[in-house]
Amino acid sequence: MNALPLLWIITDPDHASGPIDAVQQALVGCPAGKVGVQLRAKTADDHTLVDWAQRLRELTKAAGAPLVVNQRADVAARVDAEGVHLPENSLPAAQLRQTWPQLLWLGQSRHDRKGLLASQEEQASYAFLSPIFEVPGKGAGVGIDGFQQATAGVRIPVYALGGITVERARDLRDAGAYGVAVKRAVYRASHPSEVISQLLEVFDKSTP
């Protein structure tokens, strides 16, 4: 599986039903390879993190969906995930690539153009730019225009993150987004698979 997905689902470990159920529902009926899952659980202990990673690996393999683990390359390698996603202030992607050559993708979180250019220089596989729209606890977003300005000429795929809706996704696609990453849009949805389907319609060029 070499092609990056168009959408990323970021897990919510604090959700009432836990991080797994909504992902399982969201992946129902998804075309293989179009939607990826990022296991993000900063405060989970190692036992819990590995357990969630193993359960998500089973789900994603069955759905033909890639899996990356936030920050923990060791856990990603242990469960045979496709990659690791790095916070902005973590080790450079190139250094992680040397240590964990078996990982296919090294993604990075960024918050401005300078960060995106650094990811490009480090040959990251992709980057998230956030927040695009206002998110509780994250401050004001850069907006559609800010996204377009920050990503102009950047040669690695950039996903938009933060306050993403189906309506906003269309504008972000037109502004140059490779795809989007979502959390609340999935975990707050009554039917997560419908949200994912609608977002895929925006970005999937193979869809009539």
Side-chain angles (χ1 to χ4, degrees):
M1 185 182 296
N2 294 318
L4 286 164
L6 298 172
L7 310 178
W8 287 102
I9 300 170
I10 300 175
T11 59
D12 182 357
D14 298 322
H15 192 266
S17 63
I20 309 294
D21 288 352
V23 172
Q24 184 173 20
Q25 294 174 45
L27 292 177
V28 172
C30 282
K34 301 292 185 180
V35 180
V37 177
Q38 181 197 138
L39 172 56
R40 186 176 187 272
K42 286 185 174 182
T43 61
D45 59 60
D46 284 358
H47 176 78
T48 301
L49 185 65
V50 171
D51 176 61
W52 285 342
Q54 290 172 333
R55 291 167 64 190
L56 285 171
R57 179 72 288 188
E58 291 178 5
L59 284 176
T60 54
K61 276 192 172 181
L67 173 69
V68 300
V69 179
N70 192 68
Q71 199 163 2
R72 294 290 300 273
D74 58 333
V75 175
R78 177 170 177 173
V79 301
D80 194 29
E82 278 74 15
V84 63
H85 187 90
L86 306 172
E88 186 153 37
N89 297 320
S90 66
L91 294 173
Q95 185 173 339
L96 263 292
R97 199 180 299 279
Q98 290 179 350
T99 308
W100 303 95
Q102 67 269 53
L103 297 177
L104 178 63
W105 297 328
L106 295 176
Q108 292 182 310
S109 291
R110 297 299 190 182
H111 304 290
D112 53 30
R113 179 173 176 80
K114 180 180 178 181
L116 293 176
L117 292 174
S119 290
Q120 178 177 285
E121 180 68 21
E122 294 172 19
Q123 298 183 328
S125 306
Y126 65 87
F128 289 177
L129 180 64
S130 69
I132 307 304
F133 303 101
E134 187 171 356
V135 175
K138 300 292 186 181
V142 301
I144 301 292
D145 290 342
F147 179 90
Q148 190 167 31
Q149 292 167 13
T151 59
V154 174
R155 296 188 301 275
I156 62 171
V158 180
Y159 297 85
L161 169 64
I164 306 299
T165 63
V166 173
E167 293 74 22
R168 288 168 166 174
R170 294 189 181 95
D171 291 334
L172 286 162
R173 175 200 61 194
D174 295 342
Y178 184 89
V180 293
V182 295
K183 182 170 73 173
R184 290 182 300 161
V186 165
Y187 282 88
R188 293 184 178 182
S190 300
H191 302 286
S193 63
E194 292 182 7
V195 173
I196 293 300
S197 178
Q198 290 169 359
L199 286 169
L200 278 180
E201 287 180 7
V202 175
F203 286 98
D204 191 357
K205 296 180 177 63
S206 67
T207 300

